[in-house]
Amino acid sequence: MEKLVRPVSMAFLFLFFCFRLAIAGHDYGQALSKGILFYEAQRSGYLPSNQRVTWRSNSGLNDGKTSGVDLVGGYYDAGDNVKFGLPMAFTITMISWSIIEYGRQMAAHGELGHAMEAVKWGTDYFIKAHPEPYVLYGEVGDGNSDHYCWQRPEDMTTDRTAYKIDPSRPGSDLAGETAAAMAAAAIVFRRSNPAYSKELVAHSRQLFEFADKYRGKYDSSITVAQKYYKSVSGYYDELLWAAAWLYKATNNGYYLSYLGNNGDSLGGTGWAMTEFGWDVKYAGVQVLVSKFLMQGKTGEYAAVFEKYQQKAEFFLCSCLGKGSRNVQMTPGGLIFRQSWNNMQFVTSASFLLTVYSDYLSSARKSLQCSAGNIAPSELLAFAKSQVDYILGDNPRATSYMVGYGSNYPQQVHHRASSIVSIKVNPSFVSCRGGYATWFSRKSSDPNVLIGAAVGGPDAYDNFADERDNYEQTEPATYNNAPLLGVLARLSGGHSRYNQLLPVEVSPPKPVVKKANAVPHHGTANAPASTSTEIAIKQKATTSWNHEGKTYYRYSSIVTNNSSKTLKDMKLTITSLYGPLWGLTLLSSGNTYGFPSWLNSLPAGKSLEFVYIQAASPANVAVSKYTLA
């Protein structure tokens, strides 16, 4: 065999790893693990025996007591000690959606069980907060008194009043989002805990009925939430959101007809959005309904669902910069919407781009934008670029996930992480004393808030790592929730199953490392070109361990079996996560051509290229070629 590429020294390749250059971009599996761990630092209530964030302890143990209800548990939303129901419910919905779509990838990293525990910590609390069909507690504590104090949760002396909605003080947005969270979680637990799943569905049905029957904005009833989580978008989007999730969880035609009959009047077919998050759910509804459409689950409402899909694609095109009204981007390439916790919009948009990419791939369709047809791979590539920016590929070379990489925020705006652990120093930290002693410190946090995605940089990629810079250094549970799904997808490569088929989340199993399934030597089970004239063979030629992970060097041989000269060859390579040598990247996507020193391949000759990754072989196929 004649080799037409320059030999690559294995010593050089190993040094490539040691110096942490761009090997496989980022360790998405590690980021996934850290991102899930963050939720254990946000827990309120009695912490379990398997609590891994050991610098935290029990807190909020009297929540709800003055109202005669047990509201112990749940999550603190961000760097404070308040339990806000609306963002908490959105968080649980999005973790559940991440599991529903990419639970298999989470399981491959041994993280499915932890992700499901994160969901259940939230839904256990929601069950407590919903003691009657038309009663839902939507907040414990209030932001005003809480923000006056800087105390770790274990020392809280702030007011813990519980606020509720009921028929006389409605909150359709809060009840609708909580219904969505419980319905999505019911899908997550359907196989592993069917009794719990049915309980969640029952609560979800009641909450949806409550939301629809007694309509009103929750922040008109729980007015203390207005300064922190004001429902600007109203509640129409949450009614559709809840109906979509209940249809997905129950397959009940009533919820399908609700989406069909109310799509126009509630804005699902009319609102063209450029954001998705805890307040504005329209883009999420539209993507979810688009999936129903692509699955053929439209009933008599195909025409209505197509209008939902048009608006879903408007959102996606705007994110890609291919639409008629595009989102703002920083010079470094990050989606930018607002200076205060911009990261929430980045992660939520990245999630919708990721799942829609897989929906389109499964349906063998493309995205229709005003700039033209967009391949599914472009959506995923853009989502990946956003995640890579978060993990450190940005002008500041800063990871905006705490604990990931070597350069990440050290002064996070977070009470618990910025104050010495009560287990290290049990001395009481007073309300104002915490500001004087801990908040004003210019040194790093005593407790690393591993996995927290902070607010992130400004419109010009600038970032100040300062504790009082809450707009940029405060994390939030709803920043991480959609990010988990994208990280799981990127860590697992191709999903290897049709995203439009019915999904069942299997009970967590012991992790099976990918390395065990990768051949150390010999021919790899990688797809070859369908052409008989151009043959592709791949094999793993060597492997080595580095920092607990096994890396493989793959050799790919492209052979011209025809009697003519091969010209203008293009290869499509997917599931590639490491560096590649011996080809020329033709675009920002996954298309490659001849190396710079070669413009054709004579009859009977072969071309070799190599790549390295800690995963199974990439998928290599000939997408175009000319024989002359």
Side-chain angles (χ1 to χ4, degrees), residues 268-301:
T269 62
W271 279 107
M273 307 306 300
T274 56
E275 71 171 272
F276 171 56
W278 61 262
D279 179 31
V280 186
K281 315 291 165 50
Y282 281 114
V285 175
Q286 291 154 355
V287 166
L288 205 53
V289 172
S290 297
K291 183 177 185 180
F292 299 158
L293 180 66
M294 285 187 263
Q295 288 175 314
K297 296 181 176 181
T298 61
E300 61 188 276
Y301 304 106

Coordinates of all heavy atoms in Angstrom, one line a residue, residues 268-301:
G268 N -49.7 29.9 20.3 CA -48.8 28.9 19.9 C -48.4 28.9 18.4 O -47.3 28.6 18.0
T269 N -49.4 29.3 17.6 CA -49.2 29.4 16.1 C -48.9 30.8 15.7 O -48.6 31.0 14.5 CB -50.4 28.9 15.4 OG1 -51.5 29.7 15.7 CG2 -50.8 27.4 15.8
G270 N -48.9 31.7 16.6 CA -48.8 33.1 16.2 C -47.5 33.8 16.7 O -46.9 34.6 16.0
W271 N -47.0 33.4 17.8 CA -45.8 34.1 18.4 C -44.5 33.5 17.8 O -44.3 32.3 17.9 CB -45.8 33.9 19.9 CG -46.7 34.9 20.6 CD1 -47.9 34.7 21.2 CD2 -46.4 36.3 20.8 NE1 -48.4 35.8 21.8 CE2 -47.5 36.8 21.5 CE3 -45.4 37.2 20.3 CZ2 -47.6 38.2 21.8 CZ3 -45.5 38.5 20.7 CH2 -46.6 39.0 21.4
A272 N -43.8 34.4 17.1 CA -42.5 34.0 16.6 C -41.4 34.6 17.5 O -41.3 35.8 17.7 CB -42.3 34.6 15.2
M273 N -40.8 33.7 18.3 CA -39.9 34.1 19.4 C -38.4 34.0 19.0 O -38.0 33.3 18.1 CB -40.2 33.2 20.6 CG -41.6 33.1 21.0 SD -42.4 34.7 21.3 CE -41.4 35.4 22.6
T274 N -37.6 34.7 19.8 CA -36.2 34.6 19.7 C -35.6 34.3 21.0 O -34.4 34.5 21.2 CB -35.6 36.0 19.1 OG1 -36.0 37.0 20.0 CG2 -36.0 36.2 17.7
E275 N -36.4 33.9 22.0 CA -35.9 33.4 23.3 C -36.7 32.3 23.8 O -37.9 32.1 23.4 CB -35.9 34.6 24.3 CG -37.2 35.0 24.8 CD -37.2 36.0 26.0 OE1 -37.2 35.5 27.1 OE2 -37.2 37.2 25.7
F276 N -36.2 31.5 24.7 CA -36.8 30.4 25.3 C -36.3 30.3 26.7 O -35.0 30.3 26.9 CB -36.6 29.1 24.6 CG -37.1 27.9 25.3 CD1 -38.4 27.7 25.7 CD2 -36.2 26.8 25.5 CE1 -38.9 26.6 26.3 CE2 -36.7 25.6 26.1 CZ -38.0 25.5 26.6
G277 N -37.1 30.2 27.8 CA -36.6 30.1 29.1 C -37.7 30.0 30.1 O -38.9 29.6 29.8
W278 N -37.4 30.2 31.4 CA -38.4 30.0 32.4 C -39.7 30.8 32.3 O -40.7 30.4 32.8 CB -37.8 30.2 33.8 CG -37.3 31.6 34.0 CD1 -36.0 32.1 33.9 CD2 -38.1 32.7 34.4 NE1 -36.0 33.4 34.2 CE2 -37.2 33.9 34.5 CE3 -39.4 32.9 34.8 CZ2 -37.7 35.1 34.9 CZ3 -39.9 34.2 35.1 CH2 -39.0 35.3 35.2
D279 N -39.6 31.9 31.6 CA -40.8 32.8 31.5 C -41.5 32.5 30.1 O -42.7 32.4 30.1 CB -40.3 34.3 31.6 CG -41.5 35.2 31.4 OD1 -42.6 34.9 31.8 OD2 -41.3 36.3 30.9
V280 N -40.7 32.5 29.0 CA -41.3 32.4 27.7 C -41.1 31.0 27.2 O -40.0 30.6 26.8 CB -40.7 33.4 26.8 CG1 -41.4 33.4 25.4 CG2 -40.7 34.8 27.4
K281 N -42.3 30.2 27.1 CA -42.2 28.8 26.7 C -42.6 28.5 25.2 O -42.6 27.4 24.8 CB -43.1 28.0 27.6 CG -43.0 28.3 29.1 CD -41.7 27.8 29.7 CE -41.5 28.5 31.0 NZ -42.6 28.4 32.0
Y282 N -43.0 29.6 24.5 CA -43.5 29.3 23.2 C -42.6 28.5 22.3 O -43.1 27.6 21.6 CB -43.9 30.6 22.5 CG -45.2 31.2 23.0 CD1 -45.2 32.4 23.7 CD2 -46.4 30.6 22.7 CE1 -46.4 33.0 24.1 CE2 -47.6 31.1 23.2 CZ -47.6 32.3 23.9 OH -48.8 32.9 24.3
A283 N -41.4 28.8 22.2 CA -40.4 28.1 21.3 C -40.4 26.6 21.7 O -40.3 25.7 20.9 CB -39.1 28.7 21.3
G284 N -40.4 26.3 23.1 CA -40.4 25.0 23.5 C -41.6 24.2 23.1 O -41.6 23.1 22.7
V285 N -42.8 24.9 23.3 CA -44.0 24.3 22.8 C -44.0 24.0 21.3 O -44.4 22.9 20.9 CB -45.2 25.2 23.1 CG1 -46.5 24.6 22.5 CG2 -45.4 25.5 24.6
Q286 N -43.5 24.9 20.6 CA -43.5 24.8 19.1 C -42.6 23.6 18.7 O -42.9 22.9 17.7 CB -43.1 26.1 18.5 CG -44.2 27.2 18.7 CD -43.7 28.6 18.7 OE1 -42.5 28.8 18.6 NE2 -44.6 29.6 18.7
V287 N -41.4 23.5 19.3 CA -40.5 22.4 19.0 C -41.2 21.0 19.4 O -41.1 20.1 18.6 CB -39.2 22.6 19.7 CG1 -38.4 21.3 19.6 CG2 -38.4 23.7 19.0
L288 N -41.8 21.0 20.6 CA -42.4 19.8 21.0 C -43.6 19.4 20.1 O -43.7 18.2 19.7 CB -42.9 19.9 22.4 CG -43.1 18.7 23.3 CD1 -41.8 17.9 23.3 CD2 -43.5 19.1 24.7
V289 N -44.4 20.3 19.7 CA -45.5 20.0 18.8 C -45.0 19.6 17.4 O -45.5 18.8 16.7 CB -46.5 21.2 18.7 CG1 -47.5 21.0 17.6 CG2 -47.2 21.5 20.0
S290 N -43.9 20.2 17.0 CA -43.2 19.8 15.7 C -42.8 18.4 15.7 O -42.9 17.7 14.7 CB -42.0 20.7 15.4 OG -42.4 22.1 15.3
K291 N -42.4 17.9 16.9 CA -42.0 16.5 17.0 C -43.3 15.6 16.8 O -43.2 14.6 16.1 CB -41.4 16.2 18.4 CG -40.9 14.8 18.5 CD -40.2 14.5 19.8 CE -39.7 13.1 19.9 NZ -39.0 12.8 21.2
F292 N -44.4 16.0 17.5 CA -45.6 15.3 17.3 C -46.0 15.2 15.8 O -46.4 14.2 15.3 CB -46.8 16.0 18.0 CG -46.6 16.1 19.5 CD1 -47.3 17.0 20.3 CD2 -45.7 15.2 20.2 CE1 -47.1 17.1 21.6 CE2 -45.6 15.3 21.6 CZ -46.3 16.2 22.3
L293 N -45.8 16.4 15.1 CA -46.1 16.4 13.7 C -45.2 15.4 12.9 O -45.7 14.7 12.0 CB -45.9 17.9 13.2 CG -46.2 18.1 11.7 CD1 -47.7 17.9 11.4 CD2 -45.8 19.5 11.3
M294 N -43.9 15.5 13.2 CA -43.0 14.6 12.5 C -43.3 13.1 12.8 O -42.9 12.2 12.0 CB -41.6 15.0 12.7 CG -41.2 16.2 12.0 SD -39.4 16.6 12.2 CE -39.4 17.8 13.5
Q295 N -43.8 12.9 14.0 CA -44.2 11.5 14.4 C -45.5 11.0 13.8 O -45.9 9.9 13.9 CB -44.3 11.4 15.9 CG -42.9 11.5 16.6 CD -43.1 11.5 18.1 OE1 -43.9 12.2 18.7 NE2 -42.3 10.7 18.8
G296 N -46.2 11.9 13.1 CA -47.5 11.6 12.6 C -48.6 11.6 13.6 O -49.7 11.1 13.4
K297 N -48.4 12.3 14.7 CA -49.4 12.3 15.8 C -50.2 13.7 15.7 O -50.1 14.5 16.6 CB -48.7 12.2 17.2 CG -48.0 10.9 17.4 CD -47.4 10.9 18.8 CE -46.8 9.5 19.1 NZ -46.2 9.5 20.5
T298 N -50.9 13.9 14.7 CA -51.6 15.1 14.5 C -53.1 15.0 14.6 O -53.8 16.0 14.8 CB -51.2 15.7 13.1 OG1 -51.6 14.8 12.1 CG2 -49.7 16.0 13.0
G299 N -53.6 13.8 14.3 CA -55.1 13.7 14.3 C -55.6 14.6 13.2 O -55.1 14.5 12.0
E300 N -56.6 15.3 13.5 CA -57.2 16.3 12.5 C -56.5 17.6 12.5 O -57.0 18.5 11.8 CB -58.7 16.4 12.8 CG -59.0 17.0 14.2 CD -60.4 17.0 14.6 OE1 -61.1 17.9 14.1 OE2 -60.8 16.0 15.3
Y301 N -55.4 17.8 13.2 CA -54.9 19.1 13.4 C -53.6 19.3 12.7 O -52.8 20.2 13.1 CB -54.6 19.3 14.9 CG -55.9 19.2 15.7 CD1 -56.1 18.1 16.5 CD2 -56.9 20.2 15.7 CE1 -57.2 17.9 17.3 CE2 -58.1 20.0 16.4 CZ -58.2 18.9 17.2 OH -59.4 18.8 18.0

